[in-house]
Amino acid sequence: MVSVKRTAARMLFGSRYNNVPWGQRVYVRPGERLMREAQWRLKLRSARVMSLEEYKATVPLGEIEEFLSCMMCGDSRQQPLFEPTGGRNWRYHVVRCPSCGFLYRNPNIRPERLGDLYANSYSSFLTGKYAANRQRRYQLTMDAFSPVFEHGEGRRLLDFGCGAGLFLELAEQRGFDAVGVDLSPDSVEQANARLTKARAYFGAPEDVPEIAAGGFDVITLWSVLAHLPRPLEDFERFRHLLAPGGVLLILTVNAGSLLLKAYESGWSGFTKNHLMFYSSATLPTLLGRTGFSGVAYAPHYGDTIEAGTSQLPGPLRARLRRAVENSDGGNMMRALAFADDEAISRWGQRLRVRRL
Ligand SMILES: [Zn+2]
């Protein structure tokens, strides 16, 4: 199948795009965006929609798993679409909600068994060779939502799922009074060794009095949203923890990505520990139902394009940007959620804010 696709691509495009990295080709080859979008619509029209009972009869249920209905709109019907796999190590099923389009793993992981997903090597993964790339990605995203992150003095920030403290380090450098929480004790220990003023805690926000008191100006969720098994409960809590005028930043894989449409089950967003996949079509439901007043997005063109280190020729860079914007299909989704009208008037002026 792969070689058939490769041959077809060679016939269509010759060798002109061989030097373009894989993750960028679908955005720059002429006509490819429209073709992938048509392919996607066809897939959705032809994929079967089942009742939850029918679906349960077709898919095995693991010991740490449970079957879910759509967490965004409550529809229990299932449209099975993908079966991502990491070789022999893991495999799961991804369904789409036929009502609202939400993509989620089903069966999903029971919240109390979430710890079983995370191997001991998780904290070294977070601080290893990925550290520099991650910090660059944080900087680019903060710039995209300027001026929210420019001056932290006198402002409180909570990093939810802070890992080994790579973002807290940047936040304290920018003057924020910053705290983080994480469910990995090893990561929290590493974070506190790295930090000077900011503090990391093990556990949930309500376990730490300093955090449970709320009053945060900024809450950040860096690559955390896709890991949450009970997003509505978590977002209600975040909303309460925000001060008037507060904002919540989200970076997560984009379920509207053109790369998902091209690679399907092989898409890079389907990682071992991801549970739910949001797009700009489904995130507003989560935010609206949990009391947020607005949301704005920053399209994701890829780190090398945004950092100015891409080797792509100028016209191809321009074509990539257009393809991302016209398809709402960057590979990551970056969103800023506003707690209330005050937050919109304070931070939304340079952004296109969608009211909820
Ligand atoms: Zn739904």
Side-chain angles (χ1 to χ4, degrees):
M1 189 61 189
V2 170
S3 70
V4 172
K5 281 187 182 169
R6 266 194 206 138
T7 311
R10 207 174 298 132
M11 283 165 63
L12 272 170
F13 303 114
S15 57
R16 266 168 297 162
Y17 298 96
N18 284 5
N19 293 329
V20 177
W22 273 112
Q24 295 178 330
R25 282 186 205 182
V26 298
Y27 297 96
V28 304
R29 293 194 291 210
E32 181 145 1
R33 172 176 76 81
L34 295 175
M35 187 189 79
R36 296 297 183 187
E37 289 178 340
Q39 210 175 33
W40 177 250
R41 285 191 296 273
L42 192 67
K43 184 179 177 77
L44 296 190
R45 269 206 302 275
S46 55
R48 200 177 148 201
V49 175
M50 302 183 203
S51 72
L52 184 56
E53 291 313 309
E54 280 177 293
Y55 180 69
K56 282 180 180 175
T58 67
V59 180
L61 183 68
E63 190 212 331
I64 66 167
E65 295 178 327
E66 61 179 0
F67 282 108
L68 295 182
S69 296
C70 176
M71 288 240 173
M72 295 301 112
C73 75
D75 192 337
S76 63
R77 290 176 304 154
Q78 309 284 317
Q79 187 175 34
L81 287 189
F82 304 113
E83 275 183 51
T85 170
R88 276 189 221 153
N89 297 325
W90 56 269
R91 169 186 293 273
Y92 57 83
H93 298 261
V94 175
V95 299
R96 174 179 179 272
C97 169
S99 292
C100 73
F102 189 48
L103 286 185
Y104 58 103
R105 177 167 168 170
N106 209 13
N108 215 283
I109 305 297
R110 283 157 49 198
E112 68 276 16
R113 299 301 296 273
L114 211 55
D116 295 28
L117 279 190
Y118 296 93
N120 295 331
S121 55
Y122 199 65
S123 62
S124 58
F125 161 75
L126 289 176
T127 47
K129 63 177 174 168
Y130 294 101
N133 285 342
R134 275 175 180 261
Q135 285 193 320
R136 182 175 67 163
R137 179 168 283 188
Y138 300 149
Q139 303 269 20
L140 292 168
T141 299
M142 287 192 283
D143 292 348
F145 289 114
S146 164
V148 176
F149 293 93
E150 268 162 38
H151 304 289
E153 289 77 15
R155 299 169 67 207
R156 296 186 69 209
L157 179 147
L158 168 64
D159 187 24
F160 183 81
C162 65
L166 295 176
F167 176 69
L168 287 174
E169 184 177 37
L170 300 178
E172 72 177 10
Q173 284 164 11
R174 291 186 180 213
F176 282 98
D177 175 14
V179 290
V181 281
D182 201 277
L183 291 175
S184 154
D186 292 356
S187 298
V188 167
E189 198 174 308
Q190 287 186 38
N192 284 321
R194 170 187 291 274
L195 300 167
T196 347
K197 293 202 301 280
R199 289 120 11 237
Y201 297 96
F202 169 72
E206 59 270 25
D207 300 336
V208 185
E210 178 188 354
I211 295 173
F216 288 96
D217 301 289
V218 181
I219 298 178
T220 48
L221 296 182
W222 297 101
S223 301
V224 167
L225 177 55
H227 298 253
L228 301 179
R230 293 290 183 269
L232 287 159
E233 290 167 23
D234 289 321
F235 272 59
E236 269 168 18
R237 193 186 302 142
F238 299 148
R239 178 64 192 81
H240 285 299
L241 291 174
L242 283 170
V247 291
L248 169 71
L249 177 125
I250 297 161
L251 172 79
T252 188
V253 292
N254 179 14
S257 170
L258 209 53
L259 289 170
L260 166 61
K261 294 179 170 111
Y263 293 106
E264 305 201 337
S265 294
W267 177 49
S268 61
F270 291 137
T271 64
K272 180 183 167 215
N273 297 341
H274 281 174
L275 308 179
M276 299 189 190
F277 308 89
Y278 298 79
S279 69
S280 61
T282 52
L283 182 67
T285 310
L286 173 60
L287 295 171
R289 284 182 62 185
T290 51
F292 286 83
S293 291
V295 60
Y297 300 95
H300 181 247
Y301 304 103
D303 297 347
T304 59
I305 298 277
E306 290 176 28
T309 56
S310 166
Q311 305 290 313
L312 278 190
L316 291 191
R317 284 204 301 273
R319 198 187 285 164
L320 181 145
R321 284 177 170 272
R322 279 198 305 275
V324 165
E325 287 160 11
N326 293 337
S327 61
D328 198 5
N331 206 42
M332 303 296 291
M333 178 169 65
R334 303 188 293 193
L336 189 70
F338 302 86
D340 49 22
D341 288 350
E342 190 184 330
I344 294 175
S345 59
R346 195 181 298 169
W347 302 113
Q349 295 186 0
R350 286 195 225 162
L351 303 166
R352 192 184 301 161
V353 180
R354 172 176 167 184
R355 291 203 173 248
L356 300 168

Short mmCIF file of all heavy atoms in Angstrom, two decimals, residues 32-68:
data_model
loop_
_atom_site.label_atom_id
_atom_site.label_comp_id
_atom_site.label_asym_id
_atom_site.label_seq_id
_atom_site.Cartn_x
_atom_site.Cartn_y
_atom_site.Cartn_z
N GLU A 32 -2.56 19.05 -3.24
CA GLU A 32 -2.64 17.96 -2.27
C GLU A 32 -3.64 18.25 -1.15
O GLU A 32 -4.36 17.36 -0.70
CB GLU A 32 -1.27 17.63 -1.68
CG GLU A 32 -1.35 16.47 -0.69
CD GLU A 32 -0.15 15.57 -0.68
OE1 GLU A 32 0.81 15.83 -1.45
OE2 GLU A 32 -0.15 14.60 0.09
N ARG A 33 -3.73 19.49 -0.70
CA ARG A 33 -4.66 19.82 0.38
C ARG A 33 -6.09 19.46 -0.03
O ARG A 33 -6.81 18.78 0.70
CB ARG A 33 -4.59 21.31 0.73
CG ARG A 33 -5.68 21.74 1.71
CD ARG A 33 -5.53 23.19 2.12
NE ARG A 33 -5.96 24.15 1.12
CZ ARG A 33 -7.22 24.51 0.92
NH1 ARG A 33 -8.19 23.98 1.62
NH2 ARG A 33 -7.52 25.41 0.00
N LEU A 34 -6.49 19.89 -1.24
CA LEU A 34 -7.86 19.64 -1.68
C LEU A 34 -8.12 18.14 -1.85
O LEU A 34 -9.18 17.63 -1.49
CB LEU A 34 -8.14 20.38 -2.99
CG LEU A 34 -8.09 21.91 -2.85
CD1 LEU A 34 -8.25 22.57 -4.21
CD2 LEU A 34 -9.16 22.41 -1.87
N MET A 35 -7.09 17.43 -2.35
CA MET A 35 -7.24 16.00 -2.54
C MET A 35 -7.42 15.28 -1.19
O MET A 35 -8.29 14.44 -1.03
CB MET A 35 -6.01 15.46 -3.25
CG MET A 35 -6.11 14.01 -3.65
SD MET A 35 -4.51 13.41 -4.25
CE MET A 35 -3.64 13.13 -2.72
N ARG A 36 -6.60 15.66 -0.20
CA ARG A 36 -6.69 15.03 1.12
C ARG A 36 -8.03 15.34 1.79
O ARG A 36 -8.60 14.50 2.47
CB ARG A 36 -5.56 15.51 2.04
CG ARG A 36 -4.18 15.13 1.57
CD ARG A 36 -3.98 13.65 1.53
NE ARG A 36 -2.62 13.30 1.16
CZ ARG A 36 -2.22 12.05 0.93
NH1 ARG A 36 -3.06 11.05 1.01
NH2 ARG A 36 -0.96 11.82 0.60
N GLU A 37 -8.50 16.56 1.60
CA GLU A 37 -9.77 16.92 2.22
C GLU A 37 -10.93 16.15 1.58
O GLU A 37 -11.86 15.72 2.27
CB GLU A 37 -9.98 18.43 2.16
CG GLU A 37 -9.03 19.15 3.12
CD GLU A 37 -9.12 20.66 3.10
OE1 GLU A 37 -9.63 21.22 2.11
OE2 GLU A 37 -8.67 21.27 4.07
N ALA A 38 -10.86 15.95 0.26
CA ALA A 38 -11.90 15.18 -0.43
C ALA A 38 -11.87 13.72 0.04
O ALA A 38 -12.91 13.10 0.30
CB ALA A 38 -11.70 15.27 -1.94
N GLN A 39 -10.64 13.20 0.16
CA GLN A 39 -10.44 11.83 0.63
C GLN A 39 -11.05 11.65 2.04
O GLN A 39 -11.70 10.65 2.34
CB GLN A 39 -8.92 11.63 0.74
CG GLN A 39 -8.41 10.26 0.52
CD GLN A 39 -6.86 10.30 0.56
OE1 GLN A 39 -6.24 11.09 1.29
NE2 GLN A 39 -6.24 9.45 -0.23
N TRP A 40 -10.87 12.64 2.87
CA TRP A 40 -11.38 12.61 4.25
C TRP A 40 -12.91 12.59 4.25
O TRP A 40 -13.54 11.80 4.95
CB TRP A 40 -10.84 13.83 5.00
CG TRP A 40 -11.33 13.99 6.40
CD1 TRP A 40 -12.19 14.94 6.87
CD2 TRP A 40 -10.97 13.20 7.55
NE1 TRP A 40 -12.39 14.78 8.22
CE2 TRP A 40 -11.66 13.72 8.66
CE3 TRP A 40 -10.13 12.08 7.72
CZ2 TRP A 40 -11.54 13.18 9.95
CZ3 TRP A 40 -10.02 11.54 9.00
CH2 TRP A 40 -10.70 12.09 10.09
N ARG A 41 -13.51 13.47 3.44
CA ARG A 41 -14.98 13.50 3.39
C ARG A 41 -15.54 12.15 2.92
O ARG A 41 -16.53 11.65 3.44
CB ARG A 41 -15.46 14.63 2.46
CG ARG A 41 -15.32 16.02 3.08
CD ARG A 41 -16.04 17.08 2.25
NE ARG A 41 -15.47 17.25 0.93
CZ ARG A 41 -14.45 18.07 0.64
NH1 ARG A 41 -13.93 18.82 1.59
NH2 ARG A 41 -13.99 18.15 -0.60
N LEU A 42 -14.84 11.56 1.95
CA LEU A 42 -15.27 10.26 1.44
C LEU A 42 -15.17 9.20 2.53
O LEU A 42 -16.07 8.37 2.71
CB LEU A 42 -14.37 9.89 0.25
CG LEU A 42 -14.81 8.72 -0.61
CD1 LEU A 42 -16.08 9.09 -1.36
CD2 LEU A 42 -13.70 8.35 -1.60
N LYS A 43 -14.08 9.25 3.29
CA LYS A 43 -13.89 8.29 4.38
C LYS A 43 -15.02 8.41 5.40
O LYS A 43 -15.56 7.41 5.85
CB LYS A 43 -12.53 8.54 5.04
CG LYS A 43 -12.18 7.54 6.14
CD LYS A 43 -10.80 7.84 6.75
CE LYS A 43 -10.47 6.90 7.89
NZ LYS A 43 -10.06 5.55 7.45
N LEU A 44 -15.37 9.64 5.75
CA LEU A 44 -16.42 9.85 6.76
C LEU A 44 -17.77 9.37 6.24
O LEU A 44 -18.59 8.85 6.99
CB LEU A 44 -16.50 11.32 7.17
CG LEU A 44 -15.27 11.89 7.87
CD1 LEU A 44 -15.58 13.27 8.42
CD2 LEU A 44 -14.77 10.98 8.98
N ARG A 45 -17.99 9.57 4.94
CA ARG A 45 -19.28 9.14 4.38
C ARG A 45 -19.40 7.62 4.33
O ARG A 45 -20.46 7.06 4.50
CB ARG A 45 -19.47 9.71 2.97
CG ARG A 45 -20.17 11.06 2.96
CD ARG A 45 -20.90 11.30 1.65
NE ARG A 45 -20.01 11.23 0.50
CZ ARG A 45 -19.29 12.27 0.06
NH1 ARG A 45 -19.36 13.43 0.68
NH2 ARG A 45 -18.51 12.15 -0.98
N SER A 46 -18.26 6.95 4.10
CA SER A 46 -18.35 5.50 3.90
C SER A 46 -18.12 4.71 5.19
O SER A 46 -18.47 3.53 5.26
CB SER A 46 -17.36 5.05 2.82
OG SER A 46 -16.06 5.48 3.16
N ALA A 47 -17.55 5.33 6.26
CA ALA A 47 -17.31 4.57 7.50
C ALA A 47 -18.62 4.34 8.23
O ALA A 47 -19.46 5.23 8.33
CB ALA A 47 -16.33 5.33 8.39
N ARG A 48 -18.79 3.13 8.75
CA ARG A 48 -20.03 2.74 9.39
C ARG A 48 -20.25 3.47 10.72
O ARG A 48 -19.30 3.75 11.43
CB ARG A 48 -19.93 1.23 9.65
CG ARG A 48 -21.26 0.58 9.84
CD ARG A 48 -21.08 -0.92 10.02
NE ARG A 48 -22.15 -1.35 10.91
CZ ARG A 48 -22.14 -2.45 11.61
NH1 ARG A 48 -21.10 -3.26 11.55
NH2 ARG A 48 -23.16 -2.76 12.38
N VAL A 49 -21.50 3.76 11.04
CA VAL A 49 -21.85 4.32 12.35
C VAL A 49 -22.61 3.25 13.12
O VAL A 49 -23.56 2.67 12.59
CB VAL A 49 -22.73 5.58 12.20
CG1 VAL A 49 -23.20 6.08 13.56
CG2 VAL A 49 -21.97 6.68 11.46
N MET A 50 -22.16 2.95 14.35
CA MET A 50 -22.78 1.88 15.13
C MET A 50 -23.32 2.41 16.44
O MET A 50 -22.86 3.42 16.96
CB MET A 50 -21.72 0.85 15.53
CG MET A 50 -20.98 0.21 14.42
SD MET A 50 -19.87 -1.02 15.17
CE MET A 50 -18.67 -1.13 13.90
N SER A 51 -24.26 1.66 17.01
CA SER A 51 -24.67 1.96 18.38
C SER A 51 -23.52 1.52 19.30
O SER A 51 -22.68 0.71 18.91
CB SER A 51 -25.94 1.21 18.75
OG SER A 51 -25.64 -0.16 18.91
N LEU A 52 -23.50 2.04 20.52
CA LEU A 52 -22.44 1.66 21.45
C LEU A 52 -22.48 0.16 21.73
O LEU A 52 -21.45 -0.49 21.83
CB LEU A 52 -22.57 2.47 22.76
CG LEU A 52 -21.47 2.27 23.80
CD1 LEU A 52 -20.09 2.54 23.25
CD2 LEU A 52 -21.72 3.15 25.03
N GLU A 53 -23.69 -0.40 21.83
CA GLU A 53 -23.82 -1.84 22.08
C GLU A 53 -23.22 -2.66 20.94
O GLU A 53 -22.48 -3.60 21.16
CB GLU A 53 -25.30 -2.22 22.29
CG GLU A 53 -25.90 -1.67 23.59
CD GLU A 53 -25.00 -1.90 24.80
OE1 GLU A 53 -24.57 -3.07 25.00
OE2 GLU A 53 -24.71 -0.94 25.54
N GLU A 54 -23.52 -2.27 19.70
CA GLU A 54 -22.94 -2.96 18.54
C GLU A 54 -21.42 -2.86 18.57
O GLU A 54 -20.71 -3.81 18.31
CB GLU A 54 -23.42 -2.31 17.24
CG GLU A 54 -24.79 -2.69 16.76
CD GLU A 54 -25.14 -1.90 15.50
OE1 GLU A 54 -25.31 -0.66 15.60
OE2 GLU A 54 -25.22 -2.50 14.42
N TYR A 55 -20.96 -1.64 18.88
CA TYR A 55 -19.51 -1.41 18.87
C TYR A 55 -18.80 -2.26 19.91
O TYR A 55 -17.77 -2.86 19.65
CB TYR A 55 -19.24 0.08 19.10
CG TYR A 55 -17.77 0.43 19.12
CD1 TYR A 55 -17.01 0.35 17.95
CD2 TYR A 55 -17.14 0.82 20.30
CE1 TYR A 55 -15.66 0.65 17.96
CE2 TYR A 55 -15.79 1.13 20.32
CZ TYR A 55 -15.06 1.04 19.14
OH TYR A 55 -13.71 1.33 19.16
N LYS A 56 -19.41 -2.35 21.12
CA LYS A 56 -18.79 -3.13 22.20
C LYS A 56 -18.58 -4.58 21.80
O LYS A 56 -17.67 -5.23 22.28
CB LYS A 56 -19.69 -3.08 23.45
CG LYS A 56 -19.60 -1.80 24.25
CD LYS A 56 -20.53 -1.88 25.46
CE LYS A 56 -20.46 -0.61 26.29
NZ LYS A 56 -21.45 -0.63 27.39
N ALA A 57 -19.46 -5.07 20.93
CA ALA A 57 -19.35 -6.47 20.52
C ALA A 57 -18.19 -6.70 19.55
O ALA A 57 -17.78 -7.84 19.32
CB ALA A 57 -20.66 -6.92 19.89
N THR A 58 -17.64 -5.61 18.99
CA THR A 58 -16.59 -5.79 17.97
C THR A 58 -15.18 -5.54 18.49
O THR A 58 -14.21 -5.87 17.82
CB THR A 58 -16.79 -4.81 16.78
OG1 THR A 58 -16.58 -3.47 17.27
CG2 THR A 58 -18.18 -4.92 16.19
N VAL A 59 -15.06 -4.93 19.68
CA VAL A 59 -13.73 -4.52 20.15
C VAL A 59 -13.47 -5.10 21.54
O VAL A 59 -14.32 -4.99 22.42
CB VAL A 59 -13.66 -2.97 20.23
CG1 VAL A 59 -12.29 -2.52 20.71
CG2 VAL A 59 -13.94 -2.36 18.87
N PRO A 60 -12.30 -5.72 21.76
CA PRO A 60 -12.01 -6.26 23.09
C PRO A 60 -11.75 -5.15 24.11
O PRO A 60 -11.30 -4.07 23.75
CB PRO A 60 -10.73 -7.08 22.86
CG PRO A 60 -10.11 -6.51 21.63
CD PRO A 60 -11.22 -5.94 20.80
N LEU A 61 -12.07 -5.44 25.38
CA LEU A 61 -11.90 -4.46 26.45
C LEU A 61 -10.77 -4.92 27.38
O LEU A 61 -10.87 -6.00 27.97
CB LEU A 61 -13.21 -4.33 27.24
CG LEU A 61 -13.24 -3.29 28.36
CD1 LEU A 61 -13.18 -1.89 27.80
CD2 LEU A 61 -14.52 -3.46 29.19
N GLY A 62 -9.71 -4.10 27.49
CA GLY A 62 -8.58 -4.45 28.35
C GLY A 62 -8.91 -4.22 29.82
O GLY A 62 -9.87 -3.52 30.15
N GLU A 63 -8.08 -4.76 30.70
CA GLU A 63 -8.33 -4.69 32.14
C GLU A 63 -8.38 -3.25 32.65
O GLU A 63 -9.17 -2.93 33.53
CB GLU A 63 -7.23 -5.47 32.85
CG GLU A 63 -7.49 -5.68 34.33
CD GLU A 63 -6.20 -5.71 35.13
OE1 GLU A 63 -5.15 -6.11 34.57
OE2 GLU A 63 -6.24 -5.31 36.31
N ILE A 64 -7.54 -2.37 32.11
CA ILE A 64 -7.50 -1.00 32.63
C ILE A 64 -8.39 -0.06 31.81
O ILE A 64 -8.34 1.16 31.96
CB ILE A 64 -6.05 -0.45 32.67
CG1 ILE A 64 -5.48 -0.28 31.25
CG2 ILE A 64 -5.15 -1.35 33.49
CD1 ILE A 64 -4.19 0.53 31.21
N GLU A 65 -9.25 -0.64 30.93
CA GLU A 65 -10.01 0.19 30.00
C GLU A 65 -11.50 0.25 30.33
O GLU A 65 -12.02 -0.56 31.09
CB GLU A 65 -9.84 -0.36 28.58
CG GLU A 65 -8.41 -0.26 28.07
CD GLU A 65 -8.25 -0.85 26.67
OE1 GLU A 65 -8.96 -1.83 26.33
OE2 GLU A 65 -7.43 -0.33 25.92
N GLU A 66 -12.17 1.23 29.70
CA GLU A 66 -13.63 1.35 29.82
C GLU A 66 -14.16 1.90 28.49
O GLU A 66 -13.47 2.63 27.79
CB GLU A 66 -13.98 2.33 30.95
CG GLU A 66 -13.44 3.74 30.69
CD GLU A 66 -13.78 4.75 31.78
OE1 GLU A 66 -14.45 4.37 32.75
OE2 GLU A 66 -13.37 5.92 31.63
N PHE A 67 -15.44 1.58 28.18
CA PHE A 67 -16.07 2.14 26.99
C PHE A 67 -16.68 3.50 27.33
O PHE A 67 -17.22 3.69 28.41
CB PHE A 67 -17.16 1.21 26.45
CG PHE A 67 -16.61 0.05 25.68
CD1 PHE A 67 -16.63 -1.23 26.22
CD2 PHE A 67 -16.06 0.24 24.42
CE1 PHE A 67 -16.11 -2.31 25.51
CE2 PHE A 67 -15.55 -0.83 23.69
CZ PHE A 67 -15.58 -2.11 24.25
N LEU A 68 -16.60 4.44 26.41
CA LEU A 68 -17.11 5.80 26.62
C LEU A 68 -18.12 6.18 25.54
O LEU A 68 -18.09 5.64 24.44
CB LEU A 68 -15.97 6.82 26.53
CG LEU A 68 -14.86 6.81 27.57
CD1 LEU A 68 -13.89 7.96 27.27
CD2 LEU A 68 -15.41 6.93 28.98
#
